């Protein structure tokens, strides 16, 4: 499990010549760290104005963000496992027609799984960015830089996940799935861009 490693070992794994872990897992880590920072700020004893409204808003955001952080952390290893299956599928024998058909089916199945995981990371990152607006509006002003870093990491994680989704969609033969995924990718990206803009404006306010 990548997430059981030390930071130093994790970085070494990303730097190795092995195909995994790669950009998908890195994207999940970025978003997981971003969500973690938002959990931290939402739990600080001091809020933006010290009002009951601030405390209530942050108290509502904290459990949602904790759940998102946990699921994004799980996606780090899920992405590596999914792409390992793609690599394994491409290594299947293809000497006969039946082997070729089985290999093609296995590749498509594995690519679908390797697309579903980063698409999930996009969904989770988008939800976390929506919560970031609440934390930016009600969180302690002295922690504004932490919220800003969280927003930047979540944006990077979402964008990185999008890159992984899009490169896999180009190899999928299930056009109905691919078309639906492209529509969702565009929608999630638009929502995330709006959430980032609003959170950053609140931090400047």
């Amino acid at each position: 499990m990548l997430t059981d490693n030390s930071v130093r070992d994790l970085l070494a794994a990303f730097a190795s010549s092995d195909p995994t872990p790669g950009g998908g897992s890195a994207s999940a880590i970025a978003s997981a760290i971003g969500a973690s920072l938002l959990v931290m700020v939402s739990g600080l004893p001091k809020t933006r104005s010290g009002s009951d409204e601030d405390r209530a808003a942050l108290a509502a955001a904290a459990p949602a963000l904790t759940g998102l952080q946990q699921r994004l952390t799980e996606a780090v290893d899920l992405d590596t496992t999914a792409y390992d299956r793609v690599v394994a599928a491409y290594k299947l024998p293809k000497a006969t027609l039946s082997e070729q058909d089985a290999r093609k089916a296995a590749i498509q199945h594995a690519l679908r799984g390797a697309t579903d995981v980063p698409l999930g990371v996009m969904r989770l990152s988008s939800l976390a960015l929506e919560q970031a607006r609440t934390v930016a509006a009600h969180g302690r002003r002295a922690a504004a830089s932490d919220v800003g870093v969280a927003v930047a990491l979540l944006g990077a994680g979402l964008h990185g996940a999008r890159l992984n989704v899009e490169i896999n969609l180009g190899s999928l033969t299930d056009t109905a799935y691919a078309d639906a995924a492209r529509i969702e990718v565009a929608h999630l990206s638009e929502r995330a861009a709006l959430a980032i803009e609003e959170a950053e404006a609140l931090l400047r306010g």
Side-chain angles (χ1 to χ4, degrees):
M1 298 284 285
L2 283 170
T3 49
D4 291 333
N5 290 340
S6 68
V7 173
R8 192 178 301 277
D9 288 342
L10 185 63
L11 294 175
F14 278 110
S16 76
S17 59
D18 294 333
T20 57
S25 292
S27 299
I29 288 175
S31 287
I33 296 173
S36 298
L37 286 170
L38 293 176
V39 171
M40 179 269 287
V41 176
S42 67
L44 292 175
K46 292 185 178 181
T47 65
R48 189 178 183 95
S49 64
S51 67
D52 290 340
E53 179 187 0
D54 281 347
R55 179 48 57 204
L58 293 170
L65 285 164
T66 298
L68 292 168
Q69 185 264 0
Q70 291 171 348
R71 293 174 66 187
L72 284 163
T73 302
E74 292 168 359
V76 175
D77 286 302
L78 288 175
D79 189 89
T80 293
T81 299
Y83 195 72
D84 281 340
R85 289 174 180 156
V86 174
V87 173
Y90 274 105
K91 292 180 179 178
L92 290 173
K94 52 181 178 179
T96 67
L97 286 177
S98 61
E99 286 179 344
Q100 290 171 17
D101 289 340
R103 178 176 176 271
K104 288 177 182 177
I107 289 171
Q108 288 299 307
H109 181 72
L111 283 171
R112 174 72 174 263
T115 304
D116 285 338
V117 176
L119 186 56
V121 170
M122 288 190 71
R123 295 178 186 130
L124 296 169
S125 301
S126 178
L127 290 171
L129 282 166
E130 291 179 7
Q131 294 293 335
R133 291 183 294 198
T134 298
V135 181
H138 300 282
R140 186 180 181 185
R141 286 186 182 275
S145 61
D146 296 298
V147 179
V149 171
V151 169
L153 286 170
L154 285 163
L158 186 142
H159 181 67
R162 175 175 183 164
L163 294 175
N164 280 271
V165 170
E166 290 176 338
I167 196 168
N168 289 331
L169 289 179
S171 300
L172 285 172
T173 57
D174 186 343
T175 55
Y177 170 83
D179 290 343
R182 288 188 180 95
I183 291 171
E184 185 175 8
V185 163
H187 176 64
L188 289 169
S189 297
E190 289 173 4
R191 282 176 53 189
L194 178 60
I196 290 170
E197 181 180 349
E198 292 180 352
E200 290 178 341
L202 286 165
L203 291 173
R204 293 192 298 268

